[in-house]
Amino acid sequence: MSLVKKAACIGGGVIGGAWVARFALAGIDVKIFDPHPESERIINEVMANAERAYAMLTMAPLPPKGMLTFCGSLAEAVADADWVQESVPERLDLKRRILTEIDAAARADALIGSSTSGLLPTELQAQMKHPGRMFVAHPYNPVYLLPLVELVGGKATSAATIERAQRGAEQIGMKGVVIAKEIEAFVGDRLLEALWREALWLVHDNICDTETLDDVIRYSFGLRWAQMGLFETYRIAGGEAGMRHFLAQFGPCLKWPWTKLTDVVDLDDALVEKIGTQSDRQAAGRSIRELERIRDENLVGIMQALKGGNGGKGWGAGKLLADFETKLWANAGGAQRSPDLSAPLRLVNTKVSAAWVDYNGHMTEHRYLQLFGDTSDALLRMIGVDFTYVEAGHSYYTVETHIRHLGEAKLGQELFTTVQIIAVDDIRIRYFTKIHDAASGKVLATAEQLMLHVDSNAGKSVAAPAAVRSKLAGLADAHAKLEQPDGLGRHVGQKR
Ligand SMILES: NC(=O)C1=CN([C@@H]2O[C@H](COP(=O)(O)OP(=O)(O)OC[C@H]3O[C@@H](n4cnc5c(N)ncnc54)[C@H](O)[C@@H]3O)[C@@H](O)[C@H]2O)C=CC1
Ligand SMILES: C[N+](C)(C)CC(=O)CC(=O)[O-]
């Protein structure tokens, strides 16, 4: 049973808009209140970017998108919400007033989260009548892709609230990390501010410009941080002796010290202009929305790579994504309960993600195989071979594949797949899959494949159970009436 069915977002700027996308793409209806005259346009643009990113991020069946409602008042927006997320500008007086208004209008059991980057929850909840349900839910930009949310309770926040917030975060694919004690800027922004302050000094002192500084991060430790963070990275840097050796070797420089962390650079007009000019040069005319799309493509690529990490089990944010997808597949049940049998089965809809494109500027070979594999998985789920079935010790393994490439698929192109069953027996399924361009229906690639039913523990093929065979037989009988697909039985080098 889902904890959050309805959400309300108060404030729909950079962060509020992305919270809207995070909730809506997890199937949750969202009501929004933001007095900005262009709030609806801005949020719709963020939604478009988020949907584009999700289409590249996962092939798991997302739930139907939640409905967005733009409300004329805060009270209307929060009235029936299970989770209210406040994302108004970072001012204590404003946030306190808004949270007090939410407190008065929300349901008694609603969770009330604040996106504040650094204000203490105890101070934020000071004027609320029911502060036990209020907490900080500090996300990272873009909220719809970066899965971390720091959960911080104030003095009045109940333990049950934090526990429910963690469950709610999990429902929307996020990792809710509970911060043990409230402290200004929590954990992430403490670290980021330290780095930011030092970076401003380096630019101020003409040690480097903004582009050089960003290069230093993105070509080196930025890559390390995405997958292992700080402590585990430094443990490895200590060599075989690990963390203790690392501390012994690099501990003393902390006292020299190397940094200027205690001084605050004066952000006077000259420095603001200098950084602004260097940053404009770096952006090379790209708009913020363009930069957001590039950022999103890169983040998707990183998360997909991490999903394949740790020997395919997934690592860090990639493991979280894999676990979320497992739930999405499980919730989707046997997709297409009564499929249309008068045509090949339409099984997977997707878009070509940036991570799938090669140096020729089109979808690279192994992604075709991935898409054929995902289609096989969808077919198997349809005949009852789902996660529970596989965990119980049986599955189907692919033993033969013949792929033909007939057209190109470019970045962002929408695709769908269809499957025709060619022949089945107690053990085998021979089937023919096509990848189509979604706009024209044109066939871009085909695969003829053979799968065997196996006892995974014994590592050998065995007859499938009667229930699976009967579902397969129904599909095979219906598909026997269809015309044989063009290219069936072809082999490499065959004359056309
Ligand atoms: N921008 C960032 O990178 C991050 C920001 N945050 C936090 O999120 C919160 C919002 O920041 P941003 O989205 O960046 O700011 P923003 O300026 O982009 O958005 C604030 C929104 O609040 C709206 N607003 C102002 N008064 C309002 C009211 N009375 N009722 C409803 N809406 C109102 C504005 O019209 C605007 O759309 C802040 O607390 C910030 O610290 C958290 C994580 C990252
Ligand atoms: C700059 N910031 C303090 C608003 C940043 C954050 O709060 C988190 C982020 O996304 O970097």
Side-chain angles (χ1 to χ4, degrees):
M1 172 85 169
S2 302
L3 181 87
V4 187
K5 292 204 183 67
K6 292 180 178 174
C9 289
I10 305 304
V14 173
I15 288 304
W19 269 113
V20 171
R22 172 64 80 169
F23 283 122
L25 293 177
I28 295 167
D29 291 339
V30 194
K31 290 192 174 162
I32 302 136
F33 173 67
D34 187 322
H36 192 291
E38 293 199 69
S39 152
E40 193 163 341
R41 175 190 60 79
I42 294 168
I43 288 178
N44 285 333
E45 282 183 22
V46 174
M47 273 303 294
N49 268 3
E51 286 186 73
R52 176 179 176 274
Y54 273 46
M56 297 185 284
L57 180 68
T58 181
M59 284 201 209
L62 293 172
K65 192 171 58 169
M67 195 169 71
L68 303 194
T69 310
F70 294 88
C71 299
S73 73
L74 178 150
E76 183 193 343
V78 306
D80 58 356
D82 302 303
W83 180 317
V84 182
Q85 185 67 23
E86 167 277 307
S87 309
V88 300
E90 190 78 351
R91 287 197 343 248
L92 182 59
D93 59 332
L94 175 66
K95 282 195 186 276
R96 266 192 182 159
R97 178 168 68 72
I98 295 291
L99 286 164
T100 309
E101 280 180 41
I102 296 172
D103 191 32
R107 281 197 341 243
D109 61 344
L111 289 166
I112 303 177
S114 169
S115 298
T116 179
S117 296
L119 298 170
L120 296 178
T122 295
E123 297 201 349
L124 290 171
Q125 65 194 183
Q127 290 161 2
M128 291 172 70
K129 286 212 169 72
H130 306 286
R133 62 215 173 122
M134 188 268 154
F135 56 100
V136 165
H138 176 244
Y140 287 77
N141 189 29
V143 184
Y144 53 79
L145 276 182
L146 294 190
L148 186 87
V149 55
E150 288 170 289
L151 300 173
V152 195
K155 288 207 172 72
T157 310
S158 73
T161 294
I162 296 293
E163 186 270 327
R164 285 175 66 220
Q166 247 188 322
R167 277 195 287 134
E170 190 185 334
Q171 186 191 326
I172 56 176
M174 296 184 88
K175 184 175 175 69
V177 166
V178 180
I179 306 302
K181 283 187 198 166
E182 63 179 324
I183 178 177
E184 288 89 350
F186 326 120
V187 175
D189 275 340
R190 286 247 152 177
L191 298 170
L192 287 175
E193 185 174 295
L195 187 71
W196 178 229
R197 197 189 323 234
E198 196 62 37
L200 292 174
W201 273 121
L202 291 167
V203 175
H204 174 271
D205 293 348
N206 295 320
I207 309 297
C208 62
D209 61 7
T210 59
E211 184 169 354
T212 307
L213 190 132
D214 283 350
D215 281 350
V216 167
I217 295 175
R218 69 198 178 122
Y219 289 103
S220 65
F221 56 85
L223 289 170
R224 288 196 311 226
W225 281 354
Q227 50 82 48
M228 247 179 208
L230 186 61
F231 280 97
E232 202 137 59
T233 294
Y234 279 171
R235 178 184 179 82
I236 297 172
E240 287 180 10
M243 182 52 96
R244 285 172 184 78
H245 174 63
F246 182 84
L247 290 170
Q249 179 164 215
F250 297 106
C253 31
L254 293 170
K255 290 195 179 157
W256 293 344
W258 275 345
T259 57
K260 287 197 170 189
L261 283 180
T262 48
D263 305 340
V264 180
V265 70
D266 183 9
L267 277 173
D268 58 16
D269 291 350
L271 184 56
V272 169
E273 191 45 36
K274 179 178 180 179
I275 293 173
T277 307
Q278 291 183 4
S279 173
D280 290 346
R281 197 170 56 228
Q282 221 184 315
R286 295 184 190 95
S287 69
I288 295 293
R289 290 277 176 263
E290 276 176 88
L291 288 170
E292 281 175 349
R293 283 193 281 273
I294 293 169
R295 172 202 64 192
D296 288 358
E297 284 164 15
N298 294 337
L299 289 174
V300 164
I302 292 168
M303 284 196 274
Q304 283 179 340
L306 291 175
K307 203 175 104 179
N310 191 23
K313 290 191 215 122
W315 180 264
K319 169 87 169 66
L320 193 76
L321 174 62
D323 292 346
F324 185 58
E325 287 181 334
T326 303
K327 278 190 211 118
L328 289 175
W329 285 117
N331 291 342
Q336 291 195 33
R337 280 173 208 288
S338 24
D340 173 9
L341 296 181
S342 66
L345 301 164
R346 182 170 167 154
L347 289 179
V348 171
N349 298 307
T350 190
K351 257 189 198 168
V352 181
S353 107
W356 295 8
V357 173
D358 64 16
Y359 53 84
N360 290 319
H362 56 204
M363 185 155 110
T364 200
E365 290 177 286
H366 68 279
R367 297 299 180 177
Y368 284 85
L369 185 57
Q370 177 182 324
L371 193 43
F372 287 122
D374 288 332
T375 306
S376 304
D377 290 345
L379 172 66
L380 291 176
R381 276 191 300 281
M382 183 178 273
I383 58 169
V385 179
D386 55 14
F387 285 117
T388 320
Y389 186 95
V390 171
E391 270 167 21
H394 288 85
S395 187
Y396 274 91
Y397 290 176
T398 306
V399 289
E400 201 169 329
T401 298
H402 179 98
I403 295 180
R404 293 183 313 147
H405 297 275
L406 307 173
E408 288 181 285
K410 302 278 190 183
L411 175 65
Q413 190 169 335
E414 291 192 40
L415 308 173
F416 69 87
T417 63
T418 55
V419 168
Q420 183 169 343
I421 306 293
I422 306 299
V424 294
D425 64 18
D426 288 357
I427 295 180
R428 293 176 296 183
I429 314 176
R430 185 174 157 212
Y431 58 109
F432 195 87
T433 305
K434 294 178 183 172
I435 297 175
H436 304 254
D437 167 53
S440 62
K442 188 178 160 216
V443 179
L444 303 179
T446 68
E448 184 175 349
Q449 292 180 282
L450 186 71
M451 284 194 282
L452 300 185
H453 187 264
V454 291
D455 175 332
S456 343
N457 297 324
K460 60 176 191 191
S461 59
V462 291
V468 169
R469 289 202 317 259
S470 114
K471 282 189 193 139
L472 261 179
L475 293 175
D477 288 348
H479 284 188
K481 299 188 185 102
L482 304 178
E483 205 178 304
Q484 284 215 331
D486 179 41
L488 182 70
R490 250 187 72 85
H491 57 78
V492 177
Q494 189 173 328
K495 280 194 185 148
R496 283 180 188 265

